[in-house]
Amino acid sequence: MTDIVITGIGATTPLGGDAPSTWAGLLAGQSGVSRITEEWAEELPVKIAAYVKVDPSEVIDRVRARRLDRSTQLALIAAQEAWQDAGLTWDKENEVDPYRLIVSLASGIGGLHSLLNNWDAHRDKGYRRVSPFTIPMLMANAPAANVGMAISAKAGVHTPVSACASSNEAIALALDQLRLGRADIALVGGTEATIHPLPIAAFGQMQALSRRNDDPQGASRPWDRGRDGFVMGEGSAVLVIETLEHAKARGVTTIYGTLAGAGITADSHDIVQPDPTGAGQYGAMNKALVDAGLAASDIRHVNAHGTSTPQGDLTEAGSIRHGLGEAVDGCVVTSTKSMTGHLLGGAGALETLATVLALRDRRVPPTINLEDPEPDLGIDIAANVARDLPEGDLAAINNSFGFGGANVAVAVTNANVTG
Amino acid sequence: MATTEEIRAQLAELVNDVAGVPVEDVQLDKSFVDDLDVDSLAMVEIIVGCEEKFGVTIPDEDSKNLKTVGDAVAYIEAHS
């Protein structure tokens, strides 16, 4: 089977406006969480979130931004960086064959700000104040479609939606498309921008969000006994993947790693709670291993879903133990959500990106705020400081799980594909 | 009562705000679509913006006939 390699990366996140600054922040154990300064938070029990460090208004011009939901703006910024990082030119047609180029870029929730701001306008001032751009701004495939137009992708523009597993599913979908020979190159990733009173209130009503309002940077604390929910983050991460043949043919010099496989399962258990047996979660990990042709003992690192919820973290620790068996002892686990918060539909892509860079640099970013770990987790967590990985061939898994019972594990290996 | 030039200048600001067209390009003889590259959805925003800015009501059946900047300014002068 043809190798699918990663040749470009881009991101705009709570830790930085691009992939290098995000990665530096992750390795340094920085938190991107802060108090919500907008007035609406005063009435809510949750007053913290992880905003992007560089607001998109600093990057995208005002007139253009008026027609794009914040989630699409973030996706365009990350996509442009990834595309250029892969040695390609943004807004230029036919640099690669457009009929062999796909976009698979997800959002878990879609253009939420556009939907709700226009509803506010409609309710308060009448239908004439509803923007004619509302629908193309709020639709879930708007980020993928706008990115696809920028790079002239004509072999398909996809937006799989599976809540917080969405962007890992987008990566898995594109991997299959390339393996099936339906395209040579793909721009994959995810985006989310949902720091708005409605989702903060709604997730808050579910008791899913941390209320550690007086200690924002300590609020996301996966596997710590003091954890009390996730912190909502926003941002986007994008990768360029292509067949090794295509990369070689166009003279690519930087290969970050290989997208080795993916595994998808569905819990079919509960609309929000994970199956407590973890069967769907470790099932996805096992399928990713089989798909990648890897053994559990090859996996030296897992970037966990690790959202910092009381039950979710425990279930996943069990799933990782079960999925890797005895090999769990040689595997360094982390949750970068301890620093970025939870990017929902953008999480899988950001964490796959972090996993790829961890293998490249042989260094796993820490899980910060892990001061009082749950006992008997049975997984080796990179607690509070970054950890080194050994020399030689490395493989890793990134887990993403979503409401609705979606589980998607993505397997990557470091770049020993020069032949 | 605002003069024709005052209405044109205010409309130019609106067109700039919605579609990014330089204010100096928004002259009475210019067609929104053909000369200023304003698309149909942006035109809807401009019409609604005129209603707010000039206190007029521009029904959909009338807005269709506002092809040039001059058409819009004349409509506003006649209805405000």
Side-chain angles (χ1 to χ4, degrees):
Chain A
M1 194 154 52
T2 184
D3 279 324
I4 308 300
V5 293
I6 299 152
T7 56
I9 57 172
T12 181
T13 73
L15 297 183
D18 57 20
S21 59
T22 296
W23 180 236
L26 287 173
L27 286 181
Q30 292 170 359
S31 170
V33 184
S34 62
R35 287 280 289 207
I36 298 169
T37 54
E38 291 164 277
E39 222 169 73
W40 52 259
E42 287 170 19
E43 292 174 14
L44 293 175
V46 176
K47 306 177 196 300
I48 51 176
Y51 288 94
V52 284
K53 190 153 190 181
V54 178
D55 195 85
S57 63
E58 296 175 37
V59 185
I60 295 182
D61 84 77
R62 184 190 58 79
V63 172
R64 183 133 192 269
R66 291 180 86 254
R67 296 179 168 209
L68 302 169
D69 186 76
R70 186 174 177 87
S71 59
T72 296
Q73 295 174 30
L74 296 172
L76 283 166
I77 292 165
Q80 181 168 354
E81 183 194 357
W83 197 243
Q84 291 170 343
D85 186 48
L88 295 160
T89 313
W90 190 249
D91 271 331
K92 183 176 175 184
E93 288 182 28
N94 301 324
E95 194 170 15
V96 299
D97 182 352
Y99 296 97
R100 302 292 298 165
L101 167 62
I102 67 172
V103 171
S104 183
L105 204 157
S107 161
I109 294 185
L112 180 113
H113 286 277
S114 301
L115 172 64
L116 294 175
N117 291 346
N118 279 286
W119 167 242
D120 287 345
H122 180 273
R123 184 193 52 211
D124 297 343
K125 297 178 177 175
Y127 82 94
R128 293 286 281 174
R129 303 298 182 88
V130 173
S131 165
F133 297 103
T134 304
I135 300 299
M137 288 171 78
L138 72 83
M139 62 192 195
N141 61 323
N146 280 287
V147 167
M149 287 191 290
I151 59 172
S152 198
K154 296 185 178 178
V157 171
H158 307 278
T159 305
V161 176
S162 48
C164 303
S166 296
S167 54
N168 257 13
E169 187 157 355
I171 292 168
L173 184 152
L175 173 64
D176 284 348
Q177 292 288 305
L178 297 192
R179 284 169 166 178
L180 287 166
R182 292 184 176 147
D184 298 320
I185 179 167
L187 198 149
V188 303
T191 186
E192 206 77 83
T194 51
I195 302 175
H196 176 285
L198 185 84
I200 296 277
F203 279 115
Q205 286 291 82
M206 296 177 79
Q207 314 298 317
L209 291 175
S210 172
R211 301 184 182 195
R212 195 181 279 256
N213 297 321
D214 295 331
D215 178 21
Q217 302 206 336
S220 186
R221 43 199 314 117
W223 299 296
D224 186 89
R225 294 213 293 193
R227 72 193 182 284
D228 68 334
F230 76 85
V231 173
M232 186 178 289
E234 62 171 4
S236 176
V238 171
L239 302 92
V240 175
I241 64 172
E242 56 194 302
T243 65
L244 180 58
E245 295 73 28
H246 189 265
K248 282 181 178 171
R250 69 181 188 89
V252 163
T253 53
T254 301
I255 291 178
Y256 287 94
T258 301
L259 184 57
I264 300 177
T265 63
D267 278 358
S268 193
H269 167 76
D270 185 88
I271 196 68
V272 292
Q273 295 291 342
D275 175 352
T277 69
Q281 297 182 358
Y282 64 73
M285 296 176 72
N286 288 338
K287 284 173 93 168
L289 288 175
V290 170
D291 190 50
L294 294 166
S297 56
D298 294 324
I299 301 298
R300 308 309 296 266
H301 167 44
V302 171
N303 188 309
H305 191 55
T307 58
S308 185
T309 58
Q311 187 53 48
D313 291 2
L314 293 180
T315 302
E316 187 177 12
S319 298
I320 293 169
R321 284 198 310 271
H322 200 290
L324 298 183
E326 290 177 0
V328 76
D329 292 338
C331 177
V332 181
V333 178
T334 200
S335 169
T336 44
K337 288 189 184 76
S338 60
M339 296 172 277
T340 63
H342 188 354
L343 270 60
L344 309 182
L350 174 56
E351 290 152 26
T352 294
L353 193 160
T355 307
V356 170
L357 293 179
L359 297 193
R360 183 196 66 173
D361 292 354
R362 299 180 189 277
R363 199 151 171 79
V364 173
T367 300
I368 65 168
N369 301 315
L370 189 47
E371 294 161 356
D372 182 16
E374 287 280 355
D376 306 321
L377 286 169
I379 55 174
D380 180 12
I381 302 168
N384 302 311
V385 288
R387 287 263 296 274
D388 289 333
L389 291 171
E391 291 299 307
D393 292 346
L394 294 173
I397 282 179
N398 169 41
N399 283 339
S400 283
F401 311 134
F403 282 175
N407 309 296
V408 187
V410 168
V412 297
T413 60
N414 58 350
N416 288 330
V417 285
T418 49
Chain B
M1 186 72 189
T3 66
T4 300
E5 173 51 25
E6 284 167 352
I7 294 172
R8 188 209 59 80
Q10 287 187 55
L11 179 59
E13 282 175 27
L14 180 62
V15 174
N16 174 261
D17 189 44
V18 170
V21 178
V23 287
E24 61 273 19
D25 291 357
V26 185
Q27 299 299 334
L28 296 178
D29 62 334
K30 297 292 190 217
S31 158
F32 288 107
V33 175
D34 297 333
D35 298 324
L36 304 181
D37 209 20
V38 173
D39 65 27
S40 62
L41 295 186
M43 198 61 214
V44 174
E45 288 200 306
I46 290 168
I47 295 294
V48 174
C50 285
E51 293 188 334
E52 287 179 29
K53 211 179 236 287
F54 302 108
V56 293
T57 301
I58 310 176
D60 290 344
E61 54 268 29
D62 287 350
S63 65
K64 283 193 280 258
N65 301 323
L66 306 183
K67 305 289 189 198
T68 66
V69 175
D71 294 341
V73 171
Y75 191 94
I76 292 160
E77 286 183 309
H79 294 83
S80 60

